[in-house]
Amino acid sequence: MENNVVKAFRQRLKRGGFTDISIYDQCNGTYAVHFRNRDGVCDRREMTEIQMQNTPHLVWFD
């Protein structure tokens, strides 16, 4: 079961137009975040819960 920080981050990604979202707990304090952006390009990030909380509510990645 996902904690509230991960659920909220997943919801922000959905509202931001990202698709094919997968978030995996790596059991070392980080999460592997896989998603497809609006252009159809797949991307992967490693993030902590703190990074997820501090990502702006209008989600974007460089």
Side-chain angles (χ1 to χ4, degrees):
M1 185 140 84
E2 287 183 334
N3 66 30
N4 291 336
V5 173
V6 175
K7 282 193 261 187
F9 186 68
R10 180 187 303 276
Q11 191 65 15
R12 282 189 293 191
L13 286 173
K14 286 181 184 178
R15 277 188 257 131
F18 295 92
T19 59
D20 298 335
I21 302 164
S22 299
I23 302 175
Y24 301 102
D25 185 357
Q26 296 183 335
C27 298
N28 63 0
T30 63
Y31 291 84
V33 181
H34 300 266
F35 55 88
R36 187 177 304 271
N37 66 18
R38 292 180 203 114
D39 299 328
V41 178
C42 292
D43 200 357
R44 180 184 186 278
R45 305 286 170 151
E46 280 195 23
M47 302 179 79
T48 64
E49 286 185 25
I50 293 171
Q51 289 173 318
M52 288 181 194
Q53 285 178 325
N54 291 333
T55 300
H57 285 274
L58 178 59
V59 179
W60 73 89
F61 292 101
D62 294 333

